[in-house]
Amino acid sequence: MMPSFLRLPIYAFELSDKSYKYLRLKEERGGIVLDDFGEGEIAAGVIEHGEIKKKDILKALLKELFSKKNIHFTAISLPEEKGFLENIQLTGIKESELRQALELQLEEHVPLPPSEVIFDYILARNEKNHLDVALNAFPRALVEDYLEVFSSAGVSPTFMESELTAATRSIVPQDFASPAMVLDWGKTRISFFIVENRVLRFASTVPIGGEMLDQAIAKNLNVSLEEAQKLKAKKGFLQDKDSLPVFQAIVPVVTAIREEAEKYINFWQTHSENKEAPKKLFLSGGDANLPGLPQYLEQELGLPVVMANPWVNVKFPKYYLPNLEFKDAVRFSISIGMALAAMDKEKTI
Ligand SMILES: Nc1ncnc2c1ncn2[C@@H]1O[C@H](COP(=O)(O)OP(=O)(O)OP(=O)(O)O)[C@@H](O)[C@H]1O
Ligand SMILES: [Mg+2]
């Protein structure tokens, strides 16, 4: 193994419509430590629903950052909202023939000509009479846009993956094989996803962002957006007398989220191979910090709801605490998941 001080650092890069985040983990003698992280804003309209609309602006922003921080290698997350996630059962073929078999039937699963698709897959289960595969595809044009922007900003992209595959790697504990649901609730959107055996099997992203809560509070309570954000973080979904005005302002948004979650849980229970309902719900993203949210969802959905711990699969040295508060670490779940994979790639470049 190459000594870690000689390794070329790969930075995990997570992009959303209005923000970028980056993070690197580093192996030291006693375990893995948080080497570096950061984040910044992206102006509205530069990326829309994961599609890069203004390449030059994003290029310029990244170029400055990469040169300031001396970053040369990156991993990049792809917006699952623009991807195609399909569960496919294949019979009569060997594991070694999987890619070829999937290539031949790509058109049945992805509504684009095969030449315009880039795909990856995970063998989720190797059953006696069939292979159960999770296929994750992205439009080639989208992937090429990301590559072009990062390359022309001066870095070599080493790998790309679906943001939710990355989040699954950091959030779901290594020994958690049962189906689980994850909610990643950020500023502009919420992703609902279902994993089984730590493999991403279902995903849906809905444009209900945490900023909608700010707007609802600002409007209903006639306060500034800044003040609304503070009230959200402090009162959230608590229902004591003092918090009630905030609760009433945001109840329609949280109810919509509960209904979506219910819909996907039922879908998985009726459509998946095992017909097994998710056993647990993990909350990640900045707006998962909403006080009272886990309790509310637990009661309404009837399954255990916990805050995700995106460090759960990172073996820190003894007594080590990362310099990133827990309520912020849940906003970096995707970056942390990619950084875990990046550490392995660093050994090979
Ligand atoms: N303590 C807190 N309590 C409630 N909400 C919070 C807290 N801290 C941050 N937020 C909210 O979290 C959101 C930012 O989270 P996050 O970094 O996950 O979003 P994002 O990834 O940039 O956005 P998206 O992926 O939705 O485009 C904002 O809406 C912010 O108001
Ligand atoms: Mg996000």
Side-chain angles (χ1 to χ4, degrees):
M1 194 172 99
M2 197 189 287
S4 58
F5 61 85
L6 284 180
R7 274 187 215 149
L8 299 165
I10 300 174
Y11 279 74
F13 254 85
E14 169 184 349
L15 291 172
S16 279
D17 280 8
K18 291 187 179 167
S19 72
Y20 65 84
K21 301 191 183 83
Y22 60 88
L23 186 141
R24 181 178 178 243
L25 298 173
K26 187 170 77 176
E27 257 177 291
E28 287 194 347
R29 209 176 304 145
I32 292 164
V33 299
L34 176 58
D35 177 51
D36 193 10
F37 68 93
E39 63 184 315
E41 287 182 10
I42 297 176
V46 175
I47 305 178
E48 281 175 7
H49 300 289
E51 229 173 276
I52 305 175
K53 296 285 186 191
K54 296 177 183 161
K55 286 187 192 167
D56 289 341
I57 296 184
L58 188 59
K59 248 181 236 175
L61 185 160
L62 292 176
K63 193 171 181 170
E64 197 190 325
L65 180 75
F66 294 153
S67 101
K68 198 176 80 194
K69 295 201 57 78
N70 206 14
I71 293 173
H72 298 285
F73 297 93
T74 57
I76 310 166
S77 68
L78 293 172
E80 185 59 54
E81 188 182 355
K82 284 285 178 283
F84 306 94
L85 180 62
E86 292 290 320
N87 296 304
I88 305 170
Q89 277 76 44
L90 292 146
T91 48
I93 64 151
K94 293 198 231 61
E95 206 183 317
S96 59
E97 300 162 344
L98 254 179
R99 176 162 282 275
Q100 211 181 359
L102 289 169
E103 244 159 45
L104 288 173
Q105 49 170 270
L106 208 51
E107 251 170 318
E108 290 169 39
H109 307 291
V110 181
L112 286 173
S115 62
E116 289 171 28
V117 173
I118 288 182
F119 76 92
D120 207 349
Y121 64 90
I122 297 184
L123 177 59
R125 276 181 313 170
N126 196 337
E127 301 285 333
K128 243 190 245 121
N129 55 353
H130 70 275
L131 302 175
D132 185 13
V133 176
L135 172 88
N136 207 183
F138 283 92
R140 184 179 284 276
L142 178 111
V143 174
E144 284 174 351
D145 280 349
Y146 276 78
L147 282 176
E148 186 203 320
V149 166
F150 274 75
S151 305
S152 62
V155 295
S156 305
T158 51
F159 69 96
M160 303 169 105
E161 68 178 348
S162 143
E163 55 192 1
L164 302 187
T165 298
T168 300
R169 189 180 301 118
S170 65
I171 289 172
V172 182
Q174 243 137 34
D175 58 1
F176 196 97
S178 306
M181 182 176 232
V182 188
L183 263 64
D184 180 11
W185 194 6
K187 189 174 182 178
T188 68
R189 59 193 177 143
I190 179 163
S191 296
F192 300 84
F193 48 116
I194 293 176
V195 301
E196 196 173 49
N197 269 322
R198 300 187 74 230
V199 175
L200 181 66
R201 304 308 302 262
F202 171 88
S204 174
T205 296
V206 181
I208 307 178
E211 63 187 357
M212 283 174 71
L213 298 174
D214 308 342
Q215 288 152 4
I217 295 168
K219 188 164 166 243
N220 278 269
L221 276 67
N222 200 18
V223 295
S224 69
L225 275 175
E226 228 179 350
E227 184 60 22
Q229 229 176 63
K230 282 188 198 142
L231 283 168
K232 173 177 82 170
K234 187 153 170 254
K235 310 277 187 192
F237 219 57
L238 301 174
Q239 294 181 45
D240 55 283
K241 205 166 142 236
D242 203 30
S243 311
L244 220 49
V246 174
F247 173 81
Q248 278 162 350
I250 64 177
V251 77
V253 179
V254 180
T255 305
I257 283 173
R258 188 254 291 159
E259 284 169 2
E260 290 287 315
E262 244 165 19
K263 191 168 82 185
Y264 302 129
I265 289 170
N266 289 337
F267 170 82
W268 187 252
Q269 201 165 3
T270 48
H271 286 75
S272 62
E273 265 211 335
N274 280 356
K275 310 258 178 287
E276 202 186 337
K279 292 283 180 292
K280 208 177 215 177
L281 195 160
F282 295 92
L283 293 175
S284 118
D287 285 275
N289 287 305
L290 212 65
L293 184 65
Q295 294 80 353
Y296 169 80
L297 289 176
E298 184 157 311
Q299 201 173 1
E300 294 293 318
L301 299 172
L303 82 171
V305 178
V306 296
M307 282 302 279
N309 172 10
W311 300 122
V312 71
N313 299 314
V314 183
K315 306 272 175 296
F316 289 137
K318 224 173 169 178
Y319 310 122
Y320 174 83
L321 272 180
N323 175 25
L324 180 60
E325 264 189 80
F326 198 78
K327 67 178 177 36
D328 289 314
V330 289
R331 300 193 301 109
F332 281 77
S333 303
I334 295 166
S335 304
I336 295 170
M338 271 193 300
L340 275 167
M343 271 191 310
D344 290 332
K345 307 266 182 200
E346 283 183 5
K347 293 171 192 164
T348 61
I349 60 169

